[in-house]
């Protein structure tokens, strides 16, 4: 359909490169948006990016629009995965956070295996992409049940909202509610003179230059380039 043969065959591998360009942008923007505006908003923005790209791809009239869709999907996949991981981890107790190291990979593997029977049933690529996007949209069925991360709310000084989320979690799990936030803690937060920047206020470069993150950042970059 897109005439990616003969003299245009070199454009095929470019699609993979453009996907990872969007992936890199998505990871960067996910961290900034989630720290400044919250995990919930960042997740829905990421999901919207993934949805828009997912619907453009199967109806793309040209290579240009298909390439744009691939970049949007890459950004949405990266940002939604990162935000969802952080968001879920902040809801879990420290003894349960190890689950997030293997559960996303298991579900990812299951999704990859489901692609084979779906592709066998729907051999043409445009309906196949629409079917995949339909599966992605099922993630919005529980969007109304998602609450903001109490840890993020506490970090940005929204103590009452964090306490409300914790009480809701305790009620749904049959536990007694946690003690309310102490008045002196709220007073200290309100009287802060700005010496300690809140989440999202330090800037990307200052965070990368942090000695606690610098070595890990270099190692992760080397791993990605090696792959």
């Amino acid at each position: 359909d897109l005439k990616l043969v003969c003299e245009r065959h070199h454009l095929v591998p470019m699609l993979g490169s453009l996907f990872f360009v969007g992936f890199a942008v998505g990871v960067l923007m996910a961290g900034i948006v989630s720290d400044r505006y919250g995990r919930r908003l960042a997740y829905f923005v990421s999901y919207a990016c993934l949805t828009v790209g997912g619907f453009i791809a199967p109806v793309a009239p040209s290579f240009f629009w298909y390439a744009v869709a691939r970049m949007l999907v890459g950004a949405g996949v990266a940002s939604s995965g990162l935000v969802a991981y952080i968001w879920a981890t902040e809801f879990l107790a420290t003894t349960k956070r190890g689950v997030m190291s293997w559960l996303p990979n298991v579900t990812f593997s299951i999704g990859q295996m489901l692609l084979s029977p779906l592709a066998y049933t729907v051999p043409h690529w445009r309906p196949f992409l629409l079917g995949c996007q339909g599966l992605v949209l099922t993630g919005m069925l529980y969007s109304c049940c998602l609450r903001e991360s109490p840890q993020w709310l506490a970090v940005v000084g929204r103590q009452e909202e964090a306490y409300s989320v914790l009480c809701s979690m305790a009620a749904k799990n049959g536990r007694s509610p946690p003690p309310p936030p102490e008045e002196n803690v709220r007073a200290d937060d309100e009287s802060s003179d700005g010496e300690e920047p809140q989440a999202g206020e330090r800037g990307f470069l200052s965070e990368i230059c942090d000695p606690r993150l610098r070595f890990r950042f270099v190692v992760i970059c080397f791993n990605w380039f090696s792959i």
Side-chain angles (χ1 to χ4, degrees):
D1 290 352
L2 302 180
K3 298 181 175 61
L4 299 179
V5 294
C6 299
E7 67 274 6
R8 289 169 56 89
H9 182 70
H10 66 280
L11 297 176
V12 176
M14 186 183 298
L15 293 172
S17 300
L18 292 175
F19 176 88
F20 282 103
V21 168
F23 195 96
V25 174
V27 169
L28 175 61
M29 296 307 298
I32 296 174
V33 175
S34 64
D35 283 347
R36 187 174 296 274
Y37 301 106
R39 317 310 193 203
R40 193 170 190 270
L41 178 61
Y43 180 77
F44 287 130
V45 170
S46 303
Y47 217 93
C49 183
L50 179 59
T51 301
V52 171
F55 277 119
I56 291 177
V59 297
S62 65
F63 173 83
F64 172 79
W65 285 109
Y66 188 73
V68 170
R70 291 294 294 168
M71 291 182 66
L72 288 173
V73 170
V77 167
S79 54
S80 61
L82 176 63
V83 174
Y85 177 84
I86 297 172
W87 197 6
T89 301
E90 291 177 346
F91 274 99
L92 296 174
T94 54
T95 57
K96 302 292 185 181
R97 290 181 179 177
V99 174
M100 292 305 299
S101 65
W102 60 267
L103 184 58
N105 295 313
V106 171
T107 55
F108 177 84
S109 300
I110 294 174
Q112 291 294 310
M113 290 187 291
L114 291 177
L115 289 178
S116 296
L118 180 60
Y120 182 80
T121 306
V122 187
H124 195 273
W125 69 275
R126 290 184 185 270
F128 172 74
L129 291 180
L130 281 175
C132 292
Q133 185 58 35
L135 294 176
V136 171
L137 288 179
T138 58
M140 296 300 293
L141 297 177
Y142 53 84
S143 59
C144 59
C145 303
L146 300 176
R147 304 290 298 272
E148 183 56 85
S149 165
Q151 181 172 326
W152 180 83
L153 291 171
V155 168
V156 298
R158 294 159 62 175
Q159 305 290 342
E160 294 297 336
E161 295 180 58
Y163 180 66
S164 174
V165 175
L166 291 175
C167 289
S168 176
M169 293 169 58
K172 291 180 180 179
N173 287 282
R175 304 292 183 89
S176 56
E182 299 178 4
E183 294 294 334
N184 59 345
V185 173
R186 293 199 299 270
D188 291 341
D189 292 337
E190 294 172 356
S191 62
S192 175
D193 56 2
E195 294 181 358
E196 293 293 332
Q198 292 181 348
E201 294 183 356
R202 293 182 57 191
F204 172 72
L205 293 179
S206 61
E207 292 176 352
I208 292 300
C209 294
D210 190 306
R212 295 170 296 180
L213 299 177
R214 190 185 305 125
F215 178 73
R216 294 183 177 89
F217 177 75
V218 172
V219 170
I220 291 174
C221 287
F222 177 78
N223 289 339
W224 272 104
F225 280 115
S226 299
I227 294 174

